[in-house]
């Protein structure tokens, strides 16, 4: 619970401004973000169902892909529905309780950190498949995949523990208006009345620890992959191996590029509006694009989707 101090009021709730500066375009933005959100749900649910139903895809890479799709659904569902309600002017849509705000920040950070770790696990899977193919079955067995996925979820769950605890110790005495569309750490810290130096340091260190550890694992994995591919004489074998990594590399580039910009820096944002746009990119746009990237760049996923569609069409006749 937030500590009470003399002459300061307990902040019971916050008001999310969202995109108030674009009031004239709110219906357009509502339609745009609703379409993107629905596409995200449909695409990721399709990945989960297709991988679950097609025995040809019961392999480690697709096991991790279903976990990624679950994360993308949760990632967007934490923030987008309330933002959409705000565009429509639903009563109370822009208000969020103090506990609700911290809970939203906790879940959002938890899912984001889990995704970082999961992308590192997927890079390890590609490394073993390409560099150690004879040991693939032993190193990336079903049990090993389960333990690796559980470690990613647990690591993600522990990531926001200290930052959220420190946030809960801060005093908020007004104003209570958050210039963002969800409870992110940076705009929340701007409203604190107490000293935020420890909280800022903890946020930076935790963010860097997760981002650098996971990106280092990805870099090492792909460094070994590139070294192995350069030693292959057959150009066709190199192309085939690279094609299995292209989708993952694209997703990593999109996700990590925006996260490093937002969180691996000091909290003084150059522009609130620009930070909102970047937040939209990694919290809404990227989860929508990831399933498309995997399905368009992966022949096995496209084949499974085609078979599922064909079966559905045939049964409907």
């Amino acid at each position: 619970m937030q500590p009470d101090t003399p002459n300061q009021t307990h902040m019971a709730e916050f008001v999310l401004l969202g995109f108030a500066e674009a009031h004239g375009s709110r219906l357009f933005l509502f339609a745009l973000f609703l379409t993107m959100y629905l596409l995200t749900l449909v695409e990721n649910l399709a990945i989960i169902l297709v991988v679950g139903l097609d025995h040809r895809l019961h392999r480690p890479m697709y096991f991790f892909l279903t976990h990624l799709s679950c994360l993308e659904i949760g990632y967007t569902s934490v923030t987008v529905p309330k933002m959409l309600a705000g565009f429509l002017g639903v009563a109370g849509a822009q208000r969020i309780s103090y506990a609700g705000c911290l809970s939203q920040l906790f879940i959002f950070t938890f899912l984001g950190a889990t995704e970082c770790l999961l992308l590192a696990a997927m890079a390890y899977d590609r490394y073993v498949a390409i560099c150690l193919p004879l040991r693939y079955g032993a190193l990336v067995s079903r049990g090993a995949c389960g333990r690796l996925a559980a470690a990613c979820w647990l690591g993600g769950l522990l990531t926001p523990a200290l930052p959220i605890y420190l946030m809960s110790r801060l005093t908020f005495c007004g104003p209570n208006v958050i210039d963002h569309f969800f409870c992110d750490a940076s705009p929340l810290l701007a409203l604190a009345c107490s000293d935020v130096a420890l909280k800022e340091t903890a946020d930076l260190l935790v963010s860097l620890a997760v981002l650098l550890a996971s990106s280092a694992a990805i870099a090492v994995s792909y460094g070994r992959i590139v070294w192995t591919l350069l030693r292959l004489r057959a150009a066709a074998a190199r192309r085939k191996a690279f094609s299995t990594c292209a989708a993952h590399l694209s997703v990593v580039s999109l996700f990590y590029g925006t996260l490093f910009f937002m969180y691996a820096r000091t909290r003084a944002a150059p522009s609130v509006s620009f930070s909102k746009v970047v937040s939209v990119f990694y919290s809404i746009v990227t989860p929508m694009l990831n399933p498309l990237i995997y399905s368009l760049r992966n022949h096995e996923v496209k084949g499974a989707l085609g078979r599922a569609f064909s079966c559905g069409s045939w049964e409907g006749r």
Side-chain angles (χ1 to χ4, degrees):
M1 181 181 291
Q2 202 173 5
D4 291 325
T5 57
N7 302 321
Q8 293 179 336
T9 331
H10 175 77
M11 192 67 67
E13 66 177 14
F14 294 99
V15 176
L16 296 169
L17 276 185
F19 291 89
E21 65 273 18
H23 181 75
S25 308
R26 61 187 181 88
L27 292 180
F28 168 76
L29 291 176
F30 170 79
L32 176 64
F33 289 137
L34 176 62
T35 301
M36 294 169 69
Y37 179 56
L38 293 177
L39 281 174
T40 299
L41 295 181
V42 170
E43 292 166 2
N44 283 287
L45 285 173
I47 293 289
I48 294 170
L49 290 174
V50 166
V51 172
L53 295 175
D54 197 318
H55 69 278
R56 300 174 184 85
L57 301 183
H58 291 176
R59 303 207 305 274
M61 180 170 67
Y62 302 109
F63 169 79
F64 291 125
L65 184 56
T66 58
H67 281 263
L68 181 64
S69 292
C70 290
L71 284 169
E72 305 288 25
I73 292 172
Y75 208 54
T76 53
S77 298
V78 170
T79 59
V80 176
K82 191 166 186 64
M83 178 182 68
L84 293 175
F87 280 127
L88 292 180
V90 176
Q94 290 183 295
R95 298 185 176 275
I96 185 169
S97 67
Y98 172 79
C101 190
L102 291 190
S103 297
Q104 186 185 56
L105 178 58
F106 181 93
I107 296 171
F108 189 80
T109 307
F110 154 51
L111 295 176
T114 303
E115 184 160 343
C116 288
L117 299 174
L118 188 66
L119 289 173
M122 295 173 77
Y124 171 74
D125 169 70
R126 292 298 82 208
Y127 157 70
V128 177
I130 294 172
C131 302
L132 305 170
L134 298 180
R135 300 178 61 192
Y136 186 77
L139 294 176
V140 198
S141 63
R142 179 175 296 183
C145 287
R147 290 189 294 272
L148 200 54
C152 292
W153 285 93
L154 179 60
L157 184 63
L158 295 176
T159 296
L162 178 60
I164 295 299
Y165 170 75
L166 293 176
M167 183 72 81
S168 70
R169 306 304 298 171
L170 297 179
T171 301
F172 297 90
C173 52
N176 67 337
V177 178
I178 299 175
D179 194 2
H180 213 303
F181 61 90
F182 71 98
C183 289
D184 201 4
S186 181
L188 262 177
L189 288 178
L191 301 181
C193 306
S194 48
D195 184 16
V196 299
L198 179 60
K199 166 65 174 149
E200 286 183 327
T201 302
D203 279 1
L204 182 61
L205 293 178
V206 170
S207 299
L208 285 176
V210 173
L211 290 172
L212 292 180
S214 54
S215 59
I218 292 171
V220 170
S221 296
Y222 276 104
R224 298 295 297 272
I225 288 172
V226 170
W227 176 252
T228 300
L229 294 181
L230 290 176
R231 295 165 62 187
L232 291 178
R233 295 183 179 181
R238 283 199 298 269
R239 283 195 299 270
K240 182 179 179 181
F242 178 75
S243 67
T244 67
C245 304
H248 182 254
L249 277 173
S250 301
V251 169
V252 166
S253 300
L254 284 171
F255 188 71
Y256 277 82
T258 51
L259 282 187
F260 267 109
F261 174 83
M262 286 299 295
Y263 296 113
R265 57 173 175 82
T266 59
R267 289 295 172 184
S271 166
V272 172
S273 298
F274 186 62
S275 293
K276 284 192 223 177
V277 171
V278 176
S279 297
V280 165
F281 195 85
Y282 72 74
S283 63
I284 303 175
V285 177
T286 301
M288 180 191 69
L289 292 179
N290 286 351
L292 292 175
I293 293 171
Y294 273 106
S295 59
L296 292 176
R297 297 300 302 253
N298 191 299
H299 296 294
E300 291 178 313
V301 174
K302 284 194 291 186
L305 287 169
R307 287 189 294 272
F309 178 78
S310 299
C311 289
S313 300
W314 183 81
E315 289 173 0
R317 291 178 180 178

